[in-house]
PDB file of all heavy atoms in Angstrom:
ATOM      1  N   PHE U   1      14.044  19.859   7.932  1.00  0.00           N
ATOM      2  CA  PHE U   1      13.411  19.653   9.202  1.00  0.00           C
ATOM      3  C   PHE U   1      12.453  18.343   9.113  1.00  0.00           C
ATOM      4  O   PHE U   1      12.431  17.578   9.945  1.00  0.00           O
ATOM      5  CB  PHE U   1      12.603  20.757   9.606  1.00  0.00           C
ATOM      6  CG  PHE U   1      11.438  20.614  10.543  1.00  0.00           C
ATOM      7  CD1 PHE U   1      11.847  20.354  11.934  1.00  0.00           C
ATOM      8  CD2 PHE U   1      10.067  20.488  10.227  1.00  0.00           C
ATOM      9  CE1 PHE U   1      10.866  20.096  12.872  1.00  0.00           C
ATOM     10  CE2 PHE U   1       9.185  20.182  11.104  1.00  0.00           C
ATOM     11  CZ  PHE U   1       9.469  19.971  12.446  1.00  0.00           C
ATOM     12  N   MET U   2      11.758  18.368   8.101  1.00  0.00           N
ATOM     13  CA  MET U   2      10.800  17.063   7.785  1.00  0.00           C
ATOM     14  C   MET U   2      11.537  15.768   7.646  1.00  0.00           C
ATOM     15  O   MET U   2      11.346  14.874   8.407  1.00  0.00           O
ATOM     16  CB  MET U   2       9.911  17.336   6.587  1.00  0.00           C
ATOM     17  CG  MET U   2       8.922  18.286   6.724  1.00  0.00           C
ATOM     18  SD  MET U   2       7.608  18.264   5.336  1.00  0.00           S
ATOM     19  CE  MET U   2       8.576  18.580   3.951  1.00  0.00           C
ATOM     20  N   ARG U   3      12.631  15.780   6.980  1.00  0.00           N
ATOM     21  CA  ARG U   3      13.464  14.600   6.886  1.00  0.00           C
ATOM     22  C   ARG U   3      14.201  14.132   8.125  1.00  0.00           C
ATOM     23  O   ARG U   3      14.255  12.959   8.319  1.00  0.00           O
ATOM     24  CB  ARG U   3      14.508  14.734   5.775  1.00  0.00           C
ATOM     25  CG  ARG U   3      13.955  14.963   4.403  1.00  0.00           C
ATOM     26  CD  ARG U   3      15.146  15.063   3.380  1.00  0.00           C
ATOM     27  NE  ARG U   3      14.488  14.801   2.009  1.00  0.00           N
ATOM     28  CZ  ARG U   3      15.080  14.163   1.002  1.00  0.00           C
ATOM     29  NH1 ARG U   3      16.411  13.679   1.087  1.00  0.00           N
ATOM     30  NH2 ARG U   3      14.560  14.200  -0.104  1.00  0.00           N
ATOM     31  N   GLN U   4      14.409  15.121   8.946  1.00  0.00           N
ATOM     32  CA  GLN U   4      15.051  14.818  10.245  1.00  0.00           C
ATOM     33  C   GLN U   4      14.176  13.886  11.068  1.00  0.00           C
ATOM     34  O   GLN U   4      14.685  12.985  11.779  1.00  0.00           O
ATOM     35  CB  GLN U   4      15.392  16.045  10.993  1.00  0.00           C
ATOM     36  CG  GLN U   4      16.166  15.864  12.270  1.00  0.00           C
ATOM     37  CD  GLN U   4      16.557  17.241  13.017  1.00  0.00           C
ATOM     38  OE1 GLN U   4      15.844  18.180  12.770  1.00  0.00           O
ATOM     39  NE2 GLN U   4      17.552  17.092  13.725  1.00  0.00           N
ATOM     40  N   TYR U   5      12.861  14.221  11.109  1.00  0.00           N
ATOM     41  CA  TYR U   5      11.963  13.306  11.703  1.00  0.00           C
ATOM     42  C   TYR U   5      11.217  12.401  10.772  1.00  0.00           C
ATOM     43  O   TYR U   5      10.108  11.907  11.308  1.00  0.00           O
ATOM     44  CB  TYR U   5      10.957  14.191  12.513  1.00  0.00           C
ATOM     45  CG  TYR U   5      11.706  14.970  13.725  1.00  0.00           C
ATOM     46  CD1 TYR U   5      12.043  16.284  13.454  1.00  0.00           C
ATOM     47  CD2 TYR U   5      11.882  14.426  14.848  1.00  0.00           C
ATOM     48  CE1 TYR U   5      12.733  16.939  14.440  1.00  0.00           C
ATOM     49  CE2 TYR U   5      12.613  15.052  15.942  1.00  0.00           C
ATOM     50  CZ  TYR U   5      12.949  16.389  15.674  1.00  0.00           C
ATOM     51  OH  TYR U   5      13.724  16.971  16.764  1.00  0.00           O
ATOM     52  N   ARG U   6      11.586  12.371   9.561  1.00  0.00           N
ATOM     53  CA  ARG U   6      10.836  11.472   8.560  1.00  0.00           C
ATOM     54  C   ARG U   6       9.382  11.803   8.445  1.00  0.00           C
ATOM     55  O   ARG U   6       8.572  11.014   8.100  1.00  0.00           O
ATOM     56  CB  ARG U   6      11.000   9.993   8.856  1.00  0.00           C
ATOM     57  CG  ARG U   6      12.399   9.550   8.931  1.00  0.00           C
ATOM     58  CD  ARG U   6      12.637   8.163   8.989  1.00  0.00           C
ATOM     59  NE  ARG U   6      13.916   7.662   9.259  1.00  0.00           N
ATOM     60  CZ  ARG U   6      14.323   6.474   9.385  1.00  0.00           C
ATOM     61  NH1 ARG U   6      13.491   5.427   9.458  1.00  0.00           N
ATOM     62  NH2 ARG U   6      15.723   6.210   9.381  1.00  0.00           N
ATOM     63  N   LEU U   7       9.048  13.190   8.646  1.00  0.00           N
ATOM     64  CA  LEU U   7       7.668  13.563   8.516  1.00  0.00           C
ATOM     65  C   LEU U   7       7.226  13.633   7.079  1.00  0.00           C
ATOM     66  O   LEU U   7       5.945  13.579   6.681  1.00  0.00           O
ATOM     67  CB  LEU U   7       7.543  14.933   9.193  1.00  0.00           C
ATOM     68  CG  LEU U   7       7.749  14.994  10.704  1.00  0.00           C
ATOM     69  CD1 LEU U   7       7.754  16.473  11.175  1.00  0.00           C
ATOM     70  CD2 LEU U   7       6.790  14.093  11.505  1.00  0.00           C
ATOM     71  N   ASP U   8       8.131  13.762   6.195  1.00  0.00           N
ATOM     72  CA  ASP U   8       7.858  13.877   4.693  1.00  0.00           C
ATOM     73  C   ASP U   8       7.205  12.530   4.284  1.00  0.00           C
ATOM     74  O   ASP U   8       6.512  12.404   3.302  1.00  0.00           O
ATOM     75  CB  ASP U   8       9.008  14.213   3.935  1.00  0.00           C
ATOM     76  CG  ASP U   8      10.143  13.251   4.054  1.00  0.00           C
ATOM     77  OD1 ASP U   8      10.488  12.867   5.285  1.00  0.00           O
ATOM     78  OD2 ASP U   8      10.845  12.911   3.090  1.00  0.00           O
ATOM     79  N   GLU U   9       7.565  11.344   4.960  1.00  0.00           N
ATOM     80  CA  GLU U   9       7.009  10.065   4.557  1.00  0.00           C
ATOM     81  C   GLU U   9       5.707   9.769   5.006  1.00  0.00           C
ATOM     82  O   GLU U   9       4.912   8.849   4.598  1.00  0.00           O
ATOM     83  CB  GLU U   9       8.082   8.958   5.087  1.00  0.00           C
ATOM     84  CG  GLU U   9       9.520   9.226   4.865  1.00  0.00           C
ATOM     85  CD  GLU U   9       9.830   8.747   3.374  1.00  0.00           C
ATOM     86  OE1 GLU U   9       8.976   8.156   2.678  1.00  0.00           O
ATOM     87  OE2 GLU U   9      11.029   8.843   3.041  1.00  0.00           O
ATOM     88  N   THR U  10       4.968  10.622   6.003  1.00  0.00           N
ATOM     89  CA  THR U  10       3.848  10.207   6.580  1.00  0.00           C
ATOM     90  C   THR U  10       2.625  10.151   5.665  1.00  0.00           C
ATOM     91  O   THR U  10       1.738   9.450   6.020  1.00  0.00           O
ATOM     92  CB  THR U  10       3.506  11.135   7.731  1.00  0.00           C
ATOM     93  OG1 THR U  10       3.497  12.517   7.309  1.00  0.00           O
ATOM     94  CG2 THR U  10       4.494  11.092   8.842  1.00  0.00           C
ATOM     95  N   PRO U  11       2.585  10.874   4.562  1.00  0.00           N
ATOM     96  CA  PRO U  11       1.423  10.727   3.707  1.00  0.00           C
ATOM     97  C   PRO U  11       1.431   9.232   3.095  1.00  0.00           C
ATOM     98  O   PRO U  11       0.348   8.868   2.439  1.00  0.00           O
ATOM     99  CB  PRO U  11       1.713  11.741   2.602  1.00  0.00           C
ATOM    100  CG  PRO U  11       2.487  12.803   3.174  1.00  0.00           C
ATOM    101  CD  PRO U  11       3.435  12.101   4.136  1.00  0.00           C
ATOM    102  N   GLN U  12       2.464   8.443   3.190  1.00  0.00           N
ATOM    103  CA  GLN U  12       2.391   7.122   2.709  1.00  0.00           C
ATOM    104  C   GLN U  12       1.410   6.278   3.459  1.00  0.00           C
ATOM    105  O   GLN U  12       1.382   5.163   2.966  1.00  0.00           O
ATOM    106  CB  GLN U  12       3.903   6.580   2.589  1.00  0.00           C
ATOM    107  CG  GLN U  12       4.757   7.240   1.659  1.00  0.00           C
ATOM    108  CD  GLN U  12       6.255   6.938   1.911  1.00  0.00           C
ATOM    109  OE1 GLN U  12       6.729   5.909   2.299  1.00  0.00           O
ATOM    110  NE2 GLN U  12       7.016   8.069   1.593  1.00  0.00           N
ATOM    111  N   PHE U  13       0.983   6.619   4.586  1.00  0.00           N
ATOM    112  CA  PHE U  13      -0.058   5.984   5.226  1.00  0.00           C
ATOM    113  C   PHE U  13      -1.327   5.771   4.329  1.00  0.00           C
ATOM    114  O   PHE U  13      -2.050   4.855   4.337  1.00  0.00           O
ATOM    115  CB  PHE U  13      -0.501   6.668   6.501  1.00  0.00           C
ATOM    116  CG  PHE U  13       0.430   6.528   7.606  1.00  0.00           C
ATOM    117  CD1 PHE U  13       1.029   7.603   8.227  1.00  0.00           C
ATOM    118  CD2 PHE U  13       0.696   5.210   8.195  1.00  0.00           C
ATOM    119  CE1 PHE U  13       1.923   7.395   9.361  1.00  0.00           C
ATOM    120  CE2 PHE U  13       1.700   5.094   9.182  1.00  0.00           C
ATOM    121  CZ  PHE U  13       2.228   6.261   9.720  1.00  0.00           C
ATOM    122  N   TYR U  14      -1.370   6.746   3.300  1.00  0.00           N
ATOM    123  CA  TYR U  14      -2.507   6.641   2.276  1.00  0.00           C
ATOM    124  C   TYR U  14      -2.113   5.531   1.273  1.00  0.00           C
ATOM    125  O   TYR U  14      -2.948   4.710   0.895  1.00  0.00           O
ATOM    126  CB  TYR U  14      -2.663   7.938   1.569  1.00  0.00           C
ATOM    127  CG  TYR U  14      -3.672   7.847   0.482  1.00  0.00           C
ATOM    128  CD1 TYR U  14      -4.969   7.745   0.668  1.00  0.00           C
ATOM    129  CD2 TYR U  14      -3.243   7.905  -0.869  1.00  0.00           C
ATOM    130  CE1 TYR U  14      -5.954   7.648  -0.387  1.00  0.00           C
ATOM    131  CE2 TYR U  14      -4.098   7.640  -1.975  1.00  0.00           C
ATOM    132  CZ  TYR U  14      -5.422   7.722  -1.715  1.00  0.00           C
ATOM    133  OH  TYR U  14      -6.323   7.511  -2.780  1.00  0.00           O
ATOM    134  N   ASN U  15      -0.879   5.456   0.859  1.00  0.00           N
ATOM    135  CA  ASN U  15      -0.477   4.250   0.099  1.00  0.00           C
ATOM    136  C   ASN U  15      -0.642   2.929   0.661  1.00  0.00           C
ATOM    137  O   ASN U  15      -1.063   2.023   0.185  1.00  0.00           O
ATOM    138  CB  ASN U  15       0.999   4.414  -0.231  1.00  0.00           C
ATOM    139  CG  ASN U  15       1.413   5.514  -1.235  1.00  0.00           C
ATOM    140  OD1 ASN U  15       1.978   6.554  -0.824  1.00  0.00           O
ATOM    141  ND2 ASN U  15       0.881   5.455  -2.341  1.00  0.00           N
ATOM    142  N   VAL U  16      -0.509   2.915   2.026  1.00  0.00           N
ATOM    143  CA  VAL U  16      -0.822   1.636   2.796  1.00  0.00           C
ATOM    144  C   VAL U  16      -2.213   1.351   2.799  1.00  0.00           C
ATOM    145  O   VAL U  16      -2.738   0.192   2.700  1.00  0.00           O
ATOM    146  CB  VAL U  16      -0.202   1.790   4.274  1.00  0.00           C
ATOM    147  CG1 VAL U  16      -0.676   0.616   5.134  1.00  0.00           C
ATOM    148  CG2 VAL U  16       1.305   2.016   4.173  1.00  0.00           C
ATOM    149  N   LEU U  17      -3.107   2.393   3.146  1.00  0.00           N
ATOM    150  CA  LEU U  17      -4.451   2.191   3.136  1.00  0.00           C
ATOM    151  C   LEU U  17      -5.155   1.698   1.820  1.00  0.00           C
ATOM    152  O   LEU U  17      -5.905   0.792   1.939  1.00  0.00           O
ATOM    153  CB  LEU U  17      -5.103   3.556   3.513  1.00  0.00           C
ATOM    154  CG  LEU U  17      -6.773   3.500   3.723  1.00  0.00           C
ATOM    155  CD1 LEU U  17      -6.963   2.562   5.023  1.00  0.00           C
ATOM    156  CD2 LEU U  17      -7.256   4.896   4.057  1.00  0.00           C
ATOM    157  N   ILE U  18      -4.623   2.155   0.706  1.00  0.00           N
ATOM    158  CA  ILE U  18      -5.239   1.726  -0.520  1.00  0.00           C
ATOM    159  C   ILE U  18      -4.588   0.444  -1.031  1.00  0.00           C
ATOM    160  O   ILE U  18      -4.956  -0.087  -2.132  1.00  0.00           O
ATOM    161  CB  ILE U  18      -5.097   2.773  -1.681  1.00  0.00           C
ATOM    162  CG1 ILE U  18      -3.763   3.118  -1.988  1.00  0.00           C
ATOM    163  CG2 ILE U  18      -5.918   4.086  -1.205  1.00  0.00           C
ATOM    164  CD1 ILE U  18      -3.585   4.076  -3.176  1.00  0.00           C
ATOM    165  N   GLY U  19      -3.474  -0.053  -0.323  1.00  0.00           N
ATOM    166  CA  GLY U  19      -2.979  -1.239  -0.632  1.00  0.00           C
ATOM    167  C   GLY U  19      -1.762  -1.407  -1.475  1.00  0.00           C
ATOM    168  O   GLY U  19      -1.273  -2.492  -1.789  1.00  0.00           O
ATOM    169  N   ASP U  20      -1.225  -0.245  -1.897  1.00  0.00           N
ATOM    170  CA  ASP U  20       0.005  -0.134  -2.653  1.00  0.00           C
ATOM    171  C   ASP U  20       1.244  -0.550  -1.788  1.00  0.00           C
ATOM    172  O   ASP U  20       2.253  -1.172  -2.272  1.00  0.00           O
ATOM    173  CB  ASP U  20       0.336   1.221  -3.294  1.00  0.00           C
ATOM    174  CG  ASP U  20      -0.700   1.655  -4.325  1.00  0.00           C
ATOM    175  OD1 ASP U  20      -1.187   0.643  -4.986  1.00  0.00           O
ATOM    176  OD2 ASP U  20      -0.911   2.804  -4.462  1.00  0.00           O
ATOM    177  N   MET U  21       1.081  -0.298  -0.446  1.00  0.00           N
ATOM    178  CA  MET U  21       2.356  -0.572   0.407  1.00  0.00           C
ATOM    179  C   MET U  21       1.788  -1.189   1.805  1.00  0.00           C
ATOM    180  O   MET U  21       0.541  -1.331   1.904  1.00  0.00           O
ATOM    181  CB  MET U  21       2.969   0.832   0.690  1.00  0.00           C
ATOM    182  CG  MET U  21       3.680   1.552  -0.446  1.00  0.00           C
ATOM    183  SD  MET U  21       4.395   3.129   0.026  1.00  0.00           S
ATOM    184  CE  MET U  21       5.551   2.605   1.219  1.00  0.00           C
ATOM    185  N   SER U  22       2.701  -1.595   2.491  1.00  0.00           N
ATOM    186  CA  SER U  22       2.463  -2.135   3.786  1.00  0.00           C
ATOM    187  C   SER U  22       3.247  -1.160   4.853  1.00  0.00           C
ATOM    188  O   SER U  22       4.032  -0.372   4.423  1.00  0.00           O
ATOM    189  CB  SER U  22       2.948  -3.562   3.971  1.00  0.00           C
ATOM    190  OG  SER U  22       2.722  -4.193   5.325  1.00  0.00           O
ATOM    191  N   LEU U  23       2.945  -1.276   6.030  1.00  0.00           N
ATOM    192  CA  LEU U  23       3.688  -0.520   7.114  1.00  0.00           C
ATOM    193  C   LEU U  23       5.062  -1.021   7.178  1.00  0.00           C
ATOM    194  O   LEU U  23       5.995  -0.167   7.274  1.00  0.00           O
ATOM    195  CB  LEU U  23       2.987  -0.737   8.511  1.00  0.00           C
ATOM    196  CG  LEU U  23       1.532  -0.146   8.779  1.00  0.00           C
ATOM    197  CD1 LEU U  23       1.113  -0.578  10.124  1.00  0.00           C
ATOM    198  CD2 LEU U  23       1.721   1.391   8.619  1.00  0.00           C
ATOM    199  N   VAL U  24       5.266  -2.322   7.174  1.00  0.00           N
ATOM    200  CA  VAL U  24       6.707  -2.859   7.074  1.00  0.00           C
ATOM    201  C   VAL U  24       6.908  -3.607   5.913  1.00  0.00           C
ATOM    202  O   VAL U  24       6.072  -4.522   5.515  1.00  0.00           O
ATOM    203  CB  VAL U  24       6.941  -3.683   8.394  1.00  0.00           C
ATOM    204  CG1 VAL U  24       8.332  -4.222   8.367  1.00  0.00           C
ATOM    205  CG2 VAL U  24       6.564  -2.934   9.632  1.00  0.00           C
ATOM    206  N   GLY U  25       8.071  -3.366   5.252  1.00  0.00           N
ATOM    207  CA  GLY U  25       8.404  -4.145   4.011  1.00  0.00           C
ATOM    208  C   GLY U  25       9.538  -3.385   3.364  1.00  0.00           C
ATOM    209  O   GLY U  25      10.005  -2.220   3.794  1.00  0.00           O
ATOM    210  N   PRO U  26      10.256  -4.004   2.398  1.00  0.00           N
ATOM    211  CA  PRO U  26      11.419  -3.346   1.787  1.00  0.00           C
ATOM    212  C   PRO U  26      10.972  -1.991   1.157  1.00  0.00           C
ATOM    213  O   PRO U  26       9.904  -1.811   0.581  1.00  0.00           O
ATOM    214  CB  PRO U  26      11.925  -4.327   0.698  1.00  0.00           C
ATOM    215  CG  PRO U  26      11.245  -5.592   1.193  1.00  0.00           C
ATOM    216  CD  PRO U  26      10.016  -5.305   1.770  1.00  0.00           C
ATOM    217  N   ARG U  27      11.862  -0.912   1.328  1.00  0.00           N
ATOM    218  CA  ARG U  27      11.561   0.308   0.603  1.00  0.00           C
ATOM    219  C   ARG U  27      11.446   0.163  -0.828  1.00  0.00           C
ATOM    220  O   ARG U  27      12.297  -0.464  -1.480  1.00  0.00           O
ATOM    221  CB  ARG U  27      12.622   1.336   1.054  1.00  0.00           C
ATOM    222  CG  ARG U  27      12.618   1.864   2.497  1.00  0.00           C
ATOM    223  CD  ARG U  27      11.200   2.537   2.854  1.00  0.00           C
ATOM    224  NE  ARG U  27      11.220   3.870   2.201  1.00  0.00           N
ATOM    225  CZ  ARG U  27      10.113   4.531   1.908  1.00  0.00           C
ATOM    226  NH1 ARG U  27       9.024   4.073   2.515  1.00  0.00           N
ATOM    227  NH2 ARG U  27      10.082   5.669   1.192  1.00  0.00           N
ATOM    228  N   PRO U  28      10.436   0.813  -1.468  1.00  0.00           N
ATOM    229  CA  PRO U  28      10.288   0.737  -2.939  1.00  0.00           C
ATOM    230  C   PRO U  28      11.368   1.568  -3.615  1.00  0.00           C
ATOM    231  O   PRO U  28      11.558   2.626  -3.251  1.00  0.00           O
ATOM    232  CB  PRO U  28       8.900   1.113  -3.168  1.00  0.00           C
ATOM    233  CG  PRO U  28       8.620   2.094  -2.037  1.00  0.00           C
ATOM    234  CD  PRO U  28       9.332   1.577  -0.868  1.00  0.00           C
ATOM    235  N   GLU U  29      11.783   1.039  -4.740  1.00  0.00           N
ATOM    236  CA  GLU U  29      12.842   1.819  -5.489  1.00  0.00           C
ATOM    237  C   GLU U  29      12.186   1.985  -6.987  1.00  0.00           C
ATOM    238  O   GLU U  29      11.181   1.441  -7.389  1.00  0.00           O
ATOM    239  CB  GLU U  29      14.080   0.971  -5.770  1.00  0.00           C
ATOM    240  CG  GLU U  29      14.674   0.588  -4.384  1.00  0.00           C
ATOM    241  CD  GLU U  29      15.179   1.888  -3.712  1.00  0.00           C
ATOM    242  OE1 GLU U  29      15.267   2.975  -4.251  1.00  0.00           O
ATOM    243  OE2 GLU U  29      15.644   1.716  -2.563  1.00  0.00           O
ATOM    244  N   ARG U  30      12.878   3.032  -7.689  1.00  0.00           N
ATOM    245  CA  ARG U  30      12.469   3.355  -9.054  1.00  0.00           C
ATOM    246  C   ARG U  30      13.091   2.213 -10.027  1.00  0.00           C
ATOM    247  O   ARG U  30      14.152   1.722  -9.631  1.00  0.00           O
ATOM    248  CB  ARG U  30      12.956   4.678  -9.399  1.00  0.00           C
ATOM    249  CG  ARG U  30      12.053   5.765  -8.715  1.00  0.00           C
ATOM    250  CD  ARG U  30      12.648   7.171  -9.112  1.00  0.00           C
ATOM    251  NE  ARG U  30      13.748   7.514  -8.191  1.00  0.00           N
ATOM    252  CZ  ARG U  30      14.396   8.749  -8.235  1.00  0.00           C
ATOM    253  NH1 ARG U  30      13.992   9.621  -9.184  1.00  0.00           N
ATOM    254  NH2 ARG U  30      15.264   9.016  -7.481  1.00  0.00           N
ATOM    255  N   GLN U  31      12.473   1.911 -11.139  1.00  0.00           N
ATOM    256  CA  GLN U  31      12.908   1.030 -12.092  1.00  0.00           C
ATOM    257  C   GLN U  31      14.389   1.276 -12.501  1.00  0.00           C
ATOM    258  O   GLN U  31      15.101   0.436 -12.744  1.00  0.00           O
ATOM    259  CB  GLN U  31      11.960   1.031 -13.277  1.00  0.00           C
ATOM    260  CG  GLN U  31      12.269  -0.181 -14.222  1.00  0.00           C
ATOM    261  CD  GLN U  31      11.935  -1.510 -13.583  1.00  0.00           C
ATOM    262  OE1 GLN U  31      10.961  -1.819 -13.123  1.00  0.00           O
ATOM    263  NE2 GLN U  31      12.984  -2.382 -13.598  1.00  0.00           N
ATOM    264  N   TYR U  32      14.642   2.606 -12.628  1.00  0.00           N
ATOM    265  CA  TYR U  32      16.052   2.995 -13.029  1.00  0.00           C
ATOM    266  C   TYR U  32      17.157   2.346 -12.270  1.00  0.00           C
ATOM    267  O   TYR U  32      18.172   1.932 -12.645  1.00  0.00           O
ATOM    268  CB  TYR U  32      16.157   4.496 -13.063  1.00  0.00           C
ATOM    269  CG  TYR U  32      17.402   5.173 -13.383  1.00  0.00           C
ATOM    270  CD1 TYR U  32      17.817   5.222 -14.641  1.00  0.00           C
ATOM    271  CD2 TYR U  32      18.317   5.596 -12.240  1.00  0.00           C
ATOM    272  CE1 TYR U  32      19.132   5.846 -14.824  1.00  0.00           C
ATOM    273  CE2 TYR U  32      19.551   6.105 -12.620  1.00  0.00           C
ATOM    274  CZ  TYR U  32      19.973   6.218 -13.858  1.00  0.00           C
ATOM    275  OH  TYR U  32      21.196   6.731 -14.170  1.00  0.00           O
ATOM    276  N   TYR U  33      16.855   2.493 -10.865  1.00  0.00           N
ATOM    277  CA  TYR U  33      17.991   1.851  -9.829  1.00  0.00           C
ATOM    278  C   TYR U  33      17.764   0.251  -9.751  1.00  0.00           C
ATOM    279  O   TYR U  33      18.663  -0.247  -9.443  1.00  0.00           O
ATOM    280  CB  TYR U  33      17.651   2.549  -8.578  1.00  0.00           C
ATOM    281  CG  TYR U  33      17.995   4.063  -8.608  1.00  0.00           C
ATOM    282  CD1 TYR U  33      17.097   4.975  -8.519  1.00  0.00           C
ATOM    283  CD2 TYR U  33      19.406   4.423  -8.758  1.00  0.00           C
ATOM    284  CE1 TYR U  33      17.344   6.360  -8.549  1.00  0.00           C
ATOM    285  CE2 TYR U  33      19.805   5.771  -8.925  1.00  0.00           C
ATOM    286  CZ  TYR U  33      18.698   6.649  -8.763  1.00  0.00           C
ATOM    287  OH  TYR U  33      19.016   8.064  -8.868  1.00  0.00           O
ATOM    288  N   ILE U  34      16.470  -0.171  -9.845  1.00  0.00           N
ATOM    289  CA  ILE U  34      16.358  -1.660  -9.856  1.00  0.00           C
ATOM    290  C   ILE U  34      17.030  -2.278 -10.960  1.00  0.00           C
ATOM    291  O   ILE U  34      17.710  -3.269 -10.745  1.00  0.00           O
ATOM    292  CB  ILE U  34      14.908  -1.954  -9.915  1.00  0.00           C
ATOM    293  CG1 ILE U  34      14.086  -1.617  -8.660  1.00  0.00           C
ATOM    294  CG2 ILE U  34      14.634  -3.506 -10.122  1.00  0.00           C
ATOM    295  CD1 ILE U  34      12.592  -1.758  -8.720  1.00  0.00           C
ATOM    296  N   ASP U  35      17.169  -1.614 -12.123  1.00  0.00           N
ATOM    297  CA  ASP U  35      17.947  -2.372 -13.275  1.00  0.00           C
ATOM    298  C   ASP U  35      19.409  -2.323 -12.890  1.00  0.00           C
ATOM    299  O   ASP U  35      20.084  -3.340 -13.164  1.00  0.00           O
ATOM    300  CB  ASP U  35      17.653  -1.452 -14.558  1.00  0.00           C
ATOM    301  CG  ASP U  35      16.171  -1.601 -15.037  1.00  0.00           C
ATOM    302  OD1 ASP U  35      15.494  -2.510 -14.707  1.00  0.00           O
ATOM    303  OD2 ASP U  35      15.795  -0.582 -15.847  1.00  0.00           O
ATOM    304  N   GLN U  36      19.915  -1.280 -12.253  1.00  0.00           N
ATOM    305  CA  GLN U  36      21.394  -1.334 -11.816  1.00  0.00           C
ATOM    306  C   GLN U  36      21.664  -2.341 -10.789  1.00  0.00           C
ATOM    307  O   GLN U  36      22.532  -3.035 -10.880  1.00  0.00           O
ATOM    308  CB  GLN U  36      21.784   0.090 -11.473  1.00  0.00           C
ATOM    309  CG  GLN U  36      21.682   1.171 -12.502  1.00  0.00           C
ATOM    310  CD  GLN U  36      22.062   2.543 -12.018  1.00  0.00           C
ATOM    311  OE1 GLN U  36      23.115   2.647 -11.485  1.00  0.00           O
ATOM    312  NE2 GLN U  36      21.145   3.496 -12.137  1.00  0.00           N
ATOM    313  N   ILE U  37      20.718  -2.325  -9.758  1.00  0.00           N
ATOM    314  CA  ILE U  37      20.876  -3.315  -8.748  1.00  0.00           C
ATOM    315  C   ILE U  37      20.866  -4.819  -9.201  1.00  0.00           C
ATOM    316  O   ILE U  37      21.648  -5.607  -8.873  1.00  0.00           O
ATOM    317  CB  ILE U  37      19.855  -3.143  -7.641  1.00  0.00           C
ATOM    318  CG1 ILE U  37      19.958  -1.747  -6.971  1.00  0.00           C
ATOM    319  CG2 ILE U  37      20.042  -4.158  -6.522  1.00  0.00           C
ATOM    320  CD1 ILE U  37      18.919  -1.316  -6.090  1.00  0.00           C
ATOM    321  N   THR U  38      19.876  -5.026 -10.141  1.00  0.00           N
ATOM    322  CA  THR U  38      19.794  -6.431 -10.643  1.00  0.00           C
ATOM    323  C   THR U  38      20.928  -6.901 -11.480  1.00  0.00           C
ATOM    324  O   THR U  38      21.214  -8.233 -11.299  1.00  0.00           O
ATOM    325  CB  THR U  38      18.454  -6.600 -11.325  1.00  0.00           C
ATOM    326  OG1 THR U  38      17.225  -6.017 -10.582  1.00  0.00           O
ATOM    327  CG2 THR U  38      18.105  -8.058 -11.690  1.00  0.00           C
ATOM    328  N   GLU U  39      21.593  -6.061 -12.015  1.00  0.00           N
ATOM    329  CA  GLU U  39      22.779  -6.455 -12.827  1.00  0.00           C
ATOM    330  C   GLU U  39      23.785  -7.034 -11.914  1.00  0.00           C
ATOM    331  O   GLU U  39      24.640  -7.976 -12.239  1.00  0.00           O
ATOM    332  CB  GLU U  39      23.304  -5.173 -13.536  1.00  0.00           C
ATOM    333  CG  GLU U  39      22.493  -4.854 -14.878  1.00  0.00           C
ATOM    334  CD  GLU U  39      23.055  -3.761 -15.660  1.00  0.00           C
ATOM    335  OE1 GLU U  39      24.132  -3.240 -15.204  1.00  0.00           O
ATOM    336  OE2 GLU U  39      22.438  -3.117 -16.519  1.00  0.00           O
ATOM    337  N   ARG U  40      23.906  -6.450 -10.696  1.00  0.00           N
ATOM    338  CA  ARG U  40      24.960  -6.824  -9.678  1.00  0.00           C
ATOM    339  C   ARG U  40      24.413  -7.965  -8.729  1.00  0.00           C
ATOM    340  O   ARG U  40      25.218  -8.773  -8.251  1.00  0.00           O
ATOM    341  CB  ARG U  40      25.499  -5.662  -9.043  1.00  0.00           C
ATOM    342  CG  ARG U  40      26.184  -4.597  -9.978  1.00  0.00           C
ATOM    343  CD  ARG U  40      26.340  -3.287  -9.312  1.00  0.00           C
ATOM    344  NE  ARG U  40      27.249  -3.425  -8.081  1.00  0.00           N
ATOM    345  CZ  ARG U  40      27.561  -2.399  -7.348  1.00  0.00           C
ATOM    346  NH1 ARG U  40      27.127  -1.108  -7.765  1.00  0.00           N
ATOM    347  NH2 ARG U  40      28.222  -2.555  -6.186  1.00  0.00           N
TER     348      ARG U  40
END
């Protein structure tokens, strides 16, 4: 239910407030997947 309306993401406004994130920008990934993406 939360994912259907993306309600699970709403606490990330706190990440935005403290400066880790912005409202708009590329979605952050884990290093595990970044390593795989960067290879290609």
